[in-house]
Amino acid sequence: MKSIWLWFWIITAIGCYAWYAIATVYIAARGATDIRGMLAHLRKESESSRQK
């Protein structure tokens, strides 16, 4: 009976680690995309303000 609970907790822990890793990578990728977009927007605004 103990081995069933042991495997249950091992699988649960692995699932939690996997979920956390996937969520972290997803959030980091979205953040990097947002930062690139913000930098492009600032660059565009900076160039247009120089031309005025």
Side-chain angles (χ1 to χ4, degrees), residues 21-37:
I22 290 168
T24 301
V25 170
Y26 176 75
I27 291 167
R30 291 287 306 260
T33 303
D34 287 344
I35 290 171
R36 279 193 215 117

Side-chain angles (χ1 to χ4, degrees), residues 9-22:
W9 288 114
I10 289 172
I11 291 169
T12 301
I14 291 170
C16 289
Y17 288 133
W19 175 83
Y20 187 77
I22 290 168

